[in-house]
Amino acid sequence: MSSRSQAIADTLTRAIIDHRLVPGCKLGERELAEIFNVSRIVVRQALIRLADDGLAQIERNRGAFVAKPGMQEAIEIYDALTLVEQGVAAQLSDRLGPVGWAELRQHVERQRQAVANGNDALADVLGQEYHTVFVRLSRNKVMQDIHAQLLRRTTLLRSLITADFDYCNLLDDHARLIDLLEKGRLKQAMELIDTHHRAVVRGYIMDRQVFPEMTPREALAPYLEGSLNGVAKPAVAKKMEEEGAKATHRHVHASKQT
Amino acid sequence: MSSRSQAIADTLTRAIIDHRLVPGCKLGERELAEIFNVSRIVVRQALIRLADDGLAQIERNRGAFVAKPGMQEAIEIYDALTLVEQGVAAQLSDRLGPVGWAELRQHVERQRQAVANGNDALADVLGQEYHTVFVRLSRNKVMQDIHAQLLRRTTLLRSLITADFDYCNLLDDHARLIDLLEKGRLKQAMELIDTHHRAVVRGYIMDRQVFPEMTPREALAPYLEGSLNGVAKPAVAKKMEEEGAKATHRHVHASKQT
DNA sequence: AATTTATTGATTGATATCCAATCTTGTGTT
DNA sequence: AACACAAGATTGGATATCAATCAATAAATT
């Protein structure tokens, strides 16, 4: 393993994109140090990594908090994501061979099956992963890192919103994008990426108030190595289960850990 | 000021993009701690920041070194930069008003004067800054950060190469890009950005061997607050002065501190 | 009673010291 | 010359400590 601070940063990242640690949540050094059973210094280093990634915000002499982006920043993140994916699309439309297209199609198919089976949590993960696979095909690690970071930040954003859009629609977009690109209709493909993300960000109604409902200790418990309780579940998914399937479509926006 | 580790990270970044700290150079914790007169831990935090930025590489139990990207990574960085700037160009061609175009033109003009006056160092800084101004016009902070980071990494790359291309050519590119974009010839503009960067990366002949010729202490001396020796000079520029103006065109690729 | 001021407590930023693990180097042996 | 082994140095991390700052309460004044 690389360094302990990196491991802790990874765990915190996981917890944040699983929506177990929500924006605004205080990340006290001493508290985290106790939770992870390490010294404060290691925690501090982890927090620095998180802040560099845009997932945490460190305020001098006040401590670190899970980042709480405003609407403006949300728009900027999605604009940046659009820009990156459009660029990758342009590259792929030239260079990608049939094997690549097949991989993408297969991925979409897996997501379609997940939707058919009612496994919304899996479908959501696959929906996210599609974008990752897409960018990976560019064979550019630098670009992949940038994109992955942007994706994490969009996932964080979903903690702040009421998800009221239908992502079955978005699944179609994924399939259509492949078709358009393979046929070389780049202009339309880029248009599609733009509308796709706009559809997402339009659905965002930032309800400024987010209530933690969990202490960091509870939120992080499932990730600690001592845990024998199986795999950690996203906070939202859990809530959904408790509430039962009230809506016809359940929109789970948390990612399951790999 | 934010934190000391951030300040040190900034100084190290400055030194790296000024080519005073060259790729492969060891960044020992104890040594830097003495130089900056801080504890090792603060240095370590600074190094973590640098590594997250792609400017340093931390090897477990071996320490930190100034990053030494290979040819593959160089290509990827420039591809990513191309992708970002093409995307920004596409946005700007729609949305940018005459004020924005004027700002860009004014910037090119300043660089042209610098070239005319033989102030190559300034010309180089302005040439870099052009790209920054360009992206700033997108009014997207997230994108600006990503772009700035990529630019820093390209500057690092210039430590590894023999600069043998004529950047007067590139200055023309800057002016032409504005013309093309304002006239809405987006396709050609994007092509130009691509060739522009390819021209740069083509000129790269990575001479694997880079000799430090400076200890970190010497390299960092000009940036320490105690220094009354005036402004730090880029290592390359200094060397140029010593050698005198042997070539008809001097190609200075280090940036002066602001 | 309400507002302002002080005091207290908690948290962060940072240092010094110490220790274990690991890497490097130098030496000695075969 | 090649290999093994033993210092020596460096990193990763823990702990304890201290100053500075923020938050919240208690006290004092109007």
Side-chain angles (χ1 to χ4, degrees), chain B residues 132-151:
Chain B
T132 304
V133 172
F134 188 72
V135 174
R136 186 167 61 224
L137 292 173
S138 75
R139 303 250 166 238
N140 184 329
K141 282 209 188 80
V142 175
M143 210 64 246
Q144 281 173 49
D145 286 347
I146 292 171
H147 180 259
Q149 185 178 336
L150 285 171
L151 262 193

Side-chain angles (χ1 to χ4, degrees), chain B residues 57-65:
Chain B
Q57 185 181 350
I58 298 176
E59 294 175 33
R60 181 168 179 94
N61 286 321
R62 284 189 24 89
F65 306 83

Side-chain angles (χ1 to χ4, degrees), chain B residues 3-5 37-42 45 60-62:
Chain B
S3 65
R4 202 163 291 226
S5 67
N37 207 35
V38 294
S39 72
R40 269 177 56 206
I41 288 167
V42 176
Q45 290 164 355
R60 181 168 179 94
N61 286 321
R62 284 189 24 89

